[in-house]
Amino acid sequence: AQKVTQAQTEISVVEKEDVTLDCVYETRDTTYYLFWYKQPPSGELVFLIRRNSFDEQNEISGRYSWNFQKSTSSFNFTITASQVVDSAVYFCALSELGGGSNYKLTFGKGTLLTVNP
Amino acid sequence: DTEVTQTPKHLVMGMTNKKSLKCEQHMGHRAMYWYKQKAKKPPELMFVYSYEKLSINESVPSRFSPECPNSSLLNLHLHALQPEDSALYLCASSPPRTSGSYEQYFGPGTRLTVT
């Protein structure tokens, strides 16, 4: 069975601080996909990034960066120079390939990030 | 365009009412999903439709009845709900596997309150 662990339930930082959200996963699949989603108070889940199991390149997108390490089964997310608008719940998720064209996502419990001015 | 729309945004219904939630996407996605999310919890998968056919039912009670009339539209019919069914209901869709993209795109959700 697949499992995603986000050990940090809540994190509070002051604006402009860097913050790293941890994600550790378990799967028996050799091919899998990892995702990060952001859920602001409005409720919509916003897709941030996808990473394939065979692509361990780290990625940077503006203030966001992701560190994928298969050796430690981790897919951590760093926000540099955090802003108040980054305040949200962040979910890490792992996909299990279903039949047809669908993918079953296993979500972590989420990390509530609060960025204070 | 990566938009999934959901209506209504908010819904209050009594336990004897019948109502429906609607979800729409025009991205050519062939898989659509219903999730239920309680406060401070991750989304829980309810149903998956793949090419308009029900692919996954996560043992959801029959008072929730999904329907996929066409590839762009997904409905969730509600009948005789219980107060514990109050939650945020999220719809999502994902591209065909051949596209090389595997992420699900979520709508804004419907906040349902059962009284």
Side-chain angles (χ1 to χ4, degrees), chain A residues 51 76 106 112:
Chain A
R51 177 59 73 226
N76 296 336
T106 299
L112 172 61

Side-chain angles (χ1 to χ4, degrees), chain A residues 33 35 37 39 41-45 47 50 91 97-105 107-109, chain B residues 31 33 37 42-43 45 48 50-51 55 58 90 94-97 100-104 106-107 111:
Chain A
Y33 301 88
F35 307 86
Y37 284 88
Q39 188 172 38
S42 59
E44 182 174 354
L45 274 155
F47 164 70
R50 175 193 80 234
F91 290 100
L97 301 184
S101 205
N102 68 77
Y103 311 93
K104 193 170 172 179
L105 285 178
F107 285 92
K109 292 187 175 180
Chain B
Y33 311 74
Q37 187 179 24
L45 183 65
V48 182
S50 182
Y51 291 89
S55 175
E58 292 287 280
L90 292 162
S94 61
R97 206 176 286 209
S101 295
Y102 307 95
E103 56 271 18
Q104 294 181 21
F106 286 80
R111 289 197 184 274

